[in-house]
Amino acid sequence: MIYLDNNATTAIDPIVLEAMLPFLTEHYGNPSSSYTFGRRAAAAIDTARDQVAALLGAEPREIIFTSCGTESDNAAIASALATTGHRHLITSTVEHSAVKNQADNFERQGYGVTWLPVNLDGTLDPASVVEAIRPDTAIVSLMWANNETGVIFPIEEIANLCADRGVLFHTDAVQAVGKVPLQFNNAPIHFLALSGHKLHAPKGVGALAVRRRTKFSPMLLGGSQERGKRSGTENVASIVGLGRACELAQERIVDENTRVRALRDKLEAGILARVPGTRINGANAPRLPNTTSLTFPGVDASSLLAQLDHAGVCASAGSACTSGAIAPSHVLKAMGVRDADALASIRFSLACTNTEAEIDSVIQLFPTILEGTR
Ligand SMILES: *Cc1c(COP(=O)(O)O)cnc(C)c1O
């Protein structure tokens, strides 16, 4: 198998698993218990908090552990609406469903939502954010990097513009963490969401960075874990894994931006050379080093994915319906791609686990695979 769907999820790194295992076996104490056995688990969480904070350039007390990236995004936006009492939010038309569907839901409940458009490259004009701010705006929520195209938004610039106008700013940085050398405290970002399973930690754990002195209204109330910001007994093993994964991400960010980027560029160049007419979505924008979204006009993406699967290659289309049918990606549509072309697009996303031999083999196989769809 050649796994090129790392924006969907990543393999747990063996080093991460090794760090986690003791907390799934002998160290099962509750971190809230006062005896030594419990305090050992609490200490492991403290270490993980330091590790996540170090990667982000945040303070440990600014980190809240959650169950996933989706929870982190939802908690940030819900908190801003609750603490400000305002009923308007600003986001973009290319967000992940974790933000998009929550904003949709608030809109149905009568909240105002401004959906900022993107241009043909998938980038966003910071001036459009400023124009959308109203006196009743609770929060601006924009992703750092797009999961489908890899396009990177100028988040620090936008955060500064929002701060100048006194508006809270949240960024879904799930795809950016570990790939973009970002620093939470470099800009007035109030909330930043990340997810474990996108950076070689397990599924079912995430984190939300909340800037110090930002008012916070929790979604989960209970035993006051995470300083009352996120109740529920901690997923100790997964939190330990996330911490270790953040440490590894810090060590590997150079590899991501050199070797992995070169592999992605080689894959793009190799496919473009063999399949005339192929288009790279977001090609002229700043992009993540690991992601490529390609359109093959006239090709049915779902049968292309099936052929790739048959050849042992994992890739993905924009978004899949529950039926398994492919709907045209809202991200590509927002970039002005016609439905027919959106349905002819697939995404490859690489990671440090990929090798040059794998990329060479996909490039080699690709014309035959594509032929199989016609
Ligand atoms: C995967 C992803 C999420 C959701 O994270 P989960 O941990 O799967 O809930 C949110 N935003 C982006 C950009 C993602 O890629």
Side-chain angles (χ1 to χ4, degrees):
M1 182 183 82
I2 300 178
Y3 187 76
L4 298 177
D5 201 16
N6 287 280
N7 287 8
T9 197
T10 59
I12 299 182
D13 192 285
I15 296 171
V16 168
L17 180 64
E18 195 185 292
M20 292 172 63
L21 281 175
F23 296 92
L24 291 166
T25 52
E26 70 261 37
H27 299 323
Y28 58 82
N30 188 320
S32 298
S33 300
S34 55
Y35 38 77
T36 311
F37 186 53
R39 286 206 312 269
R40 180 172 292 155
I45 293 176
D46 286 345
T47 303
R49 204 182 304 283
D50 291 346
Q51 289 165 326
V52 175
L55 175 64
L56 298 181
E59 289 174 24
R61 65 191 165 126
E62 292 177 311
I63 306 299
I64 303 172
F65 290 111
T66 65
S67 69
C68 58
T70 302
E71 183 192 329
S72 299
D73 283 327
N74 277 224
I77 294 172
S79 172
L81 290 169
T83 59
T84 61
H86 292 168
R87 293 181 61 85
H88 174 242
L89 62 97
I90 299 170
T91 187
S92 82
T93 48
V94 297
E95 298 297 309
H96 185 273
S97 50
V99 169
K100 179 180 181 289
N101 289 349
Q102 187 194 23
D104 269 337
N105 195 46
F106 279 122
E107 199 170 32
R108 277 195 298 276
Q109 290 172 37
Y111 288 78
V113 178
T114 300
W115 300 92
L116 299 173
V118 295
N119 63 27
L120 297 178
D121 284 334
T123 53
L124 181 137
D125 179 6
S128 72
V129 181
V130 176
E131 282 162 27
I133 294 175
R134 312 194 315 212
D136 64 337
T137 302
I139 190 166
V140 174
S141 175
L142 294 168
M143 66 202 318
W144 203 306
N146 189 276
N147 46 299
E148 289 187 30
T149 60
V151 169
I152 296 170
F153 281 166
I155 288 302
E156 295 189 348
E157 182 184 347
I158 294 169
N160 278 302
L161 292 171
C162 291
D164 289 347
R165 283 146 190 91
V167 174
L168 292 171
F169 180 69
H170 166 60
T171 184
D172 173 350
V174 170
Q175 291 294 345
V177 172
K179 300 170 194 159
V180 176
L182 58 85
Q183 290 288 294
F184 181 63
N185 282 336
N186 255 5
I189 298 167
H190 298 92
F191 306 98
L192 180 150
L194 63 90
S195 171
H197 74 105
K198 305 291 175 76
L199 69 157
H200 305 284
K203 296 164 185 64
V205 66
L208 178 67
V210 181
R211 194 175 191 75
R212 62 186 180 282
R213 289 191 287 276
T214 303
K215 283 196 191 124
F216 190 78
S217 171
M219 286 203 304
L220 297 187
L221 302 171
S224 294
Q225 289 87 353
E226 300 296 284
R227 296 167 181 256
K229 294 193 167 90
R230 202 280 185 182
S231 288
T233 301
E234 300 87 339
N235 182 352
V236 181
S238 292
I239 288 170
V240 166
L242 177 57
R244 192 70 183 91
C246 283
E247 219 168 47
L248 292 176
Q250 201 156 24
E251 291 164 18
R252 288 175 182 161
I253 199 157
V254 174
D255 184 57
E256 276 285 346
N257 284 280
T258 52
R259 193 186 63 88
V260 175
R261 181 186 293 277
L263 291 182
R264 189 276 311 269
D265 291 349
K266 185 174 192 183
L267 179 65
E268 283 182 346
I271 290 177
L272 255 65
R274 281 164 185 76
V275 188
T278 304
R279 288 199 294 270
I280 303 173
N281 298 303
N284 298 317
R287 280 188 300 155
L288 291 176
N290 77 317
T291 308
T292 182
S293 165
L294 300 172
T295 300
F296 304 97
V299 172
D300 174 34
S302 55
S303 62
L304 177 54
L305 290 174
Q307 292 292 325
L308 282 164
D309 185 21
H310 192 65
V313 181
C314 302
S316 79
S319 48
C321 295
T322 37
S323 63
I326 293 171
S329 147
H330 73 278
V331 174
L332 297 181
K333 285 179 75 161
M335 292 165 69
V337 175
R338 295 177 311 138
D339 277 12
D341 285 343
L343 290 168
S345 304
I346 65 167
R347 173 191 73 190
F348 293 108
S349 46
L350 286 63
C352 54
T353 42
N354 291 120
T355 64
E356 183 154 25
E358 288 177 328
I359 298 306
D360 288 341
S361 144
V362 173
I363 293 170
Q364 272 258 299
L365 289 167
F366 204 78
T368 319
I369 290 170
L370 201 62
E371 210 41 55
T373 67
R374 300 198 199 262

